[in-house]
C-alpha cells in the first residue's frame, strides 16, 4: 500500500520558481515509477513529468521540457518537481502519481496505481 501527499504549491509570479514535493509511504516507493500530472479548471488531467523506478530515465511533456526537473530521494521516500520559468499557463492543481509502470508508458495516467490529493500552483502575470 502506498500513500502520496503533495506539498509546496502556492502563488508565484511569472518567471519565478517553485518546488513541489511528494512524500510517499511504503517501502515499495523505490521500485516505483513516479510521475507528476496537472489539471486546470475545465481541462483534462495532463502529463507533466516522470522518472523511472528501474532506470535513470526521465520524461517530460513538451510544454515543460527545459523548465521543469523531476528528481527523487529514495532514502526520504520523496519525489520533487522543480519548476522554473513559470508561466501563467502552468497554473493548475499538480498531482503526484506512483506505480510499477510495467508498460513503460509514463505519460499515461492508467500506468499509475496511486495518486496524491494534489497541490495548487498559481502563476500570476
Amino acid at each position: 500500500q502506498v500513500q502520496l501527499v503533495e506539498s509546496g504549491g502556492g502563488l508565484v509570479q511569472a518567471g519565478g520558481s517553485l518546488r513541489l514535493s511528494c512524500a510517499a509511504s511504503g517501502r515499495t516507493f523505490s521500485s516505483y515509477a513516479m510521475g507528476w500530472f496537472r489539471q486546470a479548471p475545465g481541462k483534462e488531467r495532463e502529463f507533466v513529468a516522470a522518472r523511472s523506478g528501474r532506470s535513470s530515465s526521465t520524461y517530460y511533456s513538451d510544454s515543460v521540457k527545459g523548465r521543469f526537473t523531476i528528481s527523487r530521494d529514495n532514502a526520504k521516500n520523496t519525489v520533487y518537481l522543480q519548476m522554473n520559468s513559470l508561466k501563467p499557463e502552468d497554473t493548475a492543481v499538480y498531482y503526484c502519481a506512483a506505480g510499477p509502470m510495467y508498460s513503460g508508458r509514463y505519460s499515461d495516467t492508467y500506468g499509475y496505481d496511486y495518486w496524491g490529493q494534489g497541490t495548487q500552483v498559481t502563476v500570476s502575470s
Side-chain angles (χ1 to χ4, degrees), residues 6 20 35-50 60-65 67-68 81-97 107 109 112 115-123:
E6 303 96 336
L20 305 182
W36 286 96
F37 293 76
R38 66 188 183 187
Q39 187 169 24
K43 299 180 63 178
E44 295 183 350
R45 189 168 301 186
E46 66 175 344
F47 170 75
V48 176
Y60 299 93
S61 68
D62 292 336
S63 62
V64 307
K65 186 173 296 184
R67 300 188 298 120
F68 291 11
L81 183 67
Q82 179 66 47
M83 305 184 295
N84 299 324
S85 302
L86 283 163
K87 306 174 181 179
E89 303 87 83
D90 296 318
T91 296
V93 176
Y94 283 70
Y95 297 90
C96 177
S107 63
T109 59
Y112 300 89
W115 294 82
Q117 295 301 307
T119 184
Q120 177 70 48
V121 172
T122 302
V123 184

Side-chain angles (χ1 to χ4, degrees), residues 18-19 21 28 32 60 70 72 78 113-114 116 121 124-125:
L18 203 62
R19 188 178 76 161
S21 298
T28 59
Y32 276 16
Y60 299 93
I70 187 172
R72 63 192 301 168
T78 303
D113 298 325
Y114 305 96
V121 172
S124 63
S125 60

